[in-house]
Amino acid sequence: MKNLKLFPLVGGFAENKDKARDIRVQEIIPVLEKGQNLILDFEKVDSITQSFAHALLSDLIRNYGIDVLDRISFANCNETVSKIIEIVVDYMQ
Amino acid sequence: MKVHLPNSAFLGNINAFLKVIDTSDPEVLEITSNEKWISVHPVVLCMVASLGLEVRSKNSNSSIKCERFTATSKHYFERMGLFSFLQLDSEIEIVEHESAGRFIPLTQIKNSTDLSKFIEDMIPLLHLDQKNTQPIKYIISELVRNVLEHSGSKNGAIVSAQYYSKSNTIRIGIVDAGVGISQTIRKSHVAKTDLDAIQLALTPGITGTTSKEGGTDYNAGAGLFFTKSIAKINRDFFIIYSGNTLYKLLREKDKNEVLLFSDPLEDKHTKDDGLPYWSGTVVGIDIDLTKTEEFTTLLDTIRGIYTKSVRERKKAKYKKPKFI
């Protein structure tokens, strides 16, 4: 299982959708394509925007189906980060 | 073009300021102002700066004529960077030991990297605690990204904000001189009027980039809905002006329970569709820090209505096979 630390890539306020898309395409999809599971580690990330979470996750859910969430875990999320991820996962189902 | 900075122009009474903007000659900008006192929302400054940038970028014959400011409050405009934006010498001197205040001067943001740096730099200027910075960072990020992605404005977004200690309120303006909401929304939806387009743009899950519910991999159609919702839950003003139309979310009374609606026309609002044409989009918002809910509480409330709205529209579009 790969542990992907997001803070070095996006900083404390994760709002850059271009970075979210790059992470999805360059980091997440290759792991899923290899059949491996993944931890998205939000340690030190204070907040994210819905746009960031959408650019990171929506296409994965659309392309792999909602069961992709069995293969991706979210670690060290504070309350704000958790709630925004939940919003995106909610409306994508 | 002509613009007059009045004695007072905040979100509650901004209509009077907007009504007298003259956008007829795009090569000349004439700025006049109240002689005694001028007190305006940052969104007004952003609009004037945006018009100035448009004129400056036309050609060498274009010009900006600014009547000399005589109002006692003229220093404010110097400190907010209006004259340097317009490349004018205000002849106003700022005393060095004067308090820096709590404001974000007029800033032009033209790309994603500028935006990330701006958000990082702006928060210390406002001297706010974590609870209050979260919605401000959120709103500015989402709205400026809208400008960068959808407006087609070569001058990007003009942003400014000011903290008002008396009302304990942050007022934010974000303005562009791009294609406007109607043109963006009409790429994927039917919108006969500017109000139709604004209504769609404020509806959760609707974006100009696709007619599909829930948006694309890159656009969810949520930024404006989230922003309006943050204003509504906090019982604050929010305006959006594009084309000939102004939509203004009115403040909820303290005694009323706040309900979120997916249709912005169900919110307590006013609309004015007979205003001078603004080529682009103007967004203004107030955040009363006394009333500000915890950001996570805001998210809980928004989550419920957002998800319900997107699901209902998906369900409405669901088609059954036709057996004959």
Side-chain angles (χ1 to χ4, degrees):
Chain A
M1 183 176 288
K2 178 171 179 173
N3 188 343
L4 181 62
K5 289 193 177 293
L6 290 165
F7 179 78
L9 303 172
V10 300
F13 178 43
E15 56 82 35
N16 190 328
K17 292 161 70 175
D18 298 326
K19 286 186 182 174
R21 183 167 56 185
D22 289 347
I23 292 166
R24 168 166 51 83
V25 172
Q26 292 165 17
E27 306 283 346
I28 302 175
I29 291 176
V31 172
L32 296 176
E33 288 296 312
K34 282 181 195 165
Q36 295 174 351
N37 293 352
L38 181 79
I39 296 171
L40 295 177
D41 190 338
F42 284 85
E43 187 179 16
K44 294 191 204 168
V45 176
D46 296 325
S47 186
I48 62 174
T49 61
Q50 173 274 336
S51 290
F52 178 89
H54 183 89
L56 190 71
L57 301 172
S58 68
D59 207 42
L60 300 175
I61 296 171
R62 205 169 262 150
N63 291 337
Y64 292 89
I66 196 64
D67 290 345
V68 77
L69 294 177
D70 295 334
R71 300 175 58 195
I72 300 174
S73 306
F74 302 91
N76 297 311
C77 297
N78 66 24
E79 205 179 350
T80 300
V81 174
S82 307
K83 283 180 188 292
I84 289 176
I85 290 170
E86 282 171 350
I87 289 173
V88 173
V89 168
D90 251 11
Y91 68 68
M92 285 306 298
Q93 301 194 57
Chain B
M1 299 189 282
K2 291 178 187 167
V3 63
H4 178 75
L5 293 169
N7 176 254
S8 166
F10 289 88
L11 300 188
N13 66 350
I14 199 167
N15 302 48
F17 162 73
L18 300 178
K19 272 179 188 158
V20 296
I21 294 176
D22 176 355
T23 54
S24 56
D25 182 356
E27 300 211 344
V28 178
L29 174 61
E30 290 180 34
I31 304 167
T32 55
S33 57
N34 186 283
E35 291 172 2
K36 293 186 175 169
W37 185 265
I38 316 159
S39 187
V40 296
H41 192 284
V43 77
V44 172
L45 293 180
C46 292
M47 291 176 74
V48 177
S50 179
L51 290 175
L53 275 183
E54 287 302 301
V55 168
R56 286 281 181 230
S57 58
K58 289 282 178 206
N59 59 52
S60 55
N61 294 325
S62 60
S63 67
I64 298 175
K65 297 171 187 169
C66 184
E67 194 181 73
R68 191 173 174 186
F69 280 39
T70 56
T72 322
S73 54
K74 61 188 177 186
H75 297 87
Y76 174 73
F77 298 88
E78 178 69 27
R79 281 165 46 168
M80 293 298 277
L82 181 64
F83 299 106
S84 61
F85 237 92
L86 301 174
Q87 299 171 32
L88 295 173
D89 180 6
S90 68
E91 299 174 27
I92 298 169
E93 287 183 17
I94 302 291
V95 182
E96 284 297 322
H97 63 259
E98 218 172 320
S99 161
R102 290 162 74 170
F103 61 90
I104 297 166
L106 284 162
T107 305
Q108 182 179 16
I109 301 174
K110 292 179 83 167
N111 56 52
S112 181
T113 312
D114 283 356
L115 173 59
S116 297
K117 184 168 187 322
F118 173 76
I119 290 172
E120 198 176 304
D121 294 345
M122 74 170 190
I123 291 302
L125 297 176
L126 295 171
H127 309 288
L128 298 174
D129 59 25
Q130 168 88 354
K131 176 193 167 193
N132 290 319
T133 60
Q134 277 198 325
I136 294 166
K137 286 195 295 188
Y138 195 98
I139 287 167
I140 289 181
S141 170
E142 293 285 35
L143 294 182
V144 175
R145 284 203 181 277
N146 270 354
V147 173
L148 300 178
E149 288 166 21
H150 304 299
S151 77
S153 166
K154 59 185 180 302
N155 286 321
I158 312 300
V159 184
S160 175
Q162 167 84 42
Y163 172 74
Y164 293 78
S165 55
K166 197 173 174 185
S167 56
N168 195 27
T169 299
I170 296 276
R171 306 191 201 281
I172 301 168
I174 294 164
V175 171
D176 73 73
V179 298
I181 291 178
S182 288
Q183 195 171 319
T184 304
I185 283 291
R186 282 176 191 150
K187 286 178 185 167
S188 306
H189 303 275
V190 177
K192 286 183 183 167
T193 65
D194 289 322
L195 182 64
D196 291 343
I198 289 172
Q199 181 184 11
L200 287 166
L202 288 168
T203 303
I206 290 186
T207 164
T209 53
T210 179
S211 57
K212 281 197 296 188
E213 295 302 331
T216 64
D217 67 320
Y218 198 65
N219 288 103
L224 280 170
F225 174 74
F226 267 62
T227 304
K228 176 183 73 84
S229 299
I230 290 169
K232 180 154 190 196
I233 293 167
N234 287 329
R235 303 169 194 276
D236 289 317
F237 280 119
F238 164 83
I239 66 154
I240 185 160
Y241 173 37
S242 187
N244 295 105
T245 300
L246 170 74
Y247 171 91
K248 186 189 297 182
L249 178 78
L250 300 176
R251 285 146 92 175
E252 291 284 340
K253 288 180 180 164
D254 287 345
K255 63 179 183 181
N256 294 350
E257 184 192 0
V258 177
L259 297 173
L260 292 182
F261 300 105
S262 58
D263 181 352
L265 300 187
E266 286 187 49
D267 291 314
K268 191 176 156 194
H269 72 282
T270 61
K271 52 184 186 286
D272 188 342
D273 57 5
L275 292 171
Y277 188 84
W278 182 268
S279 176
T281 304
V282 173
V283 177
I285 185 167
D286 293 346
I287 301 176
D288 182 338
L289 303 181
T290 316
K291 294 178 190 166
T292 301
E293 292 273 358
E294 286 293 340
F295 194 57
T296 50
T297 311
L298 288 172
L299 293 174
D300 279 337
T301 314
I302 292 169
R303 177 184 174 184
I305 187 68
Y306 191 99
T307 306
K308 182 168 171 272
S309 170
V310 172
R311 280 188 186 157
E312 278 176 359
R313 283 205 315 279
K314 277 183 185 171
K315 201 174 168 186
K317 282 190 175 178
Y318 180 82
K319 290 199 188 300
K320 290 180 179 173
K322 194 161 55 178
F323 299 104
I324 55 172

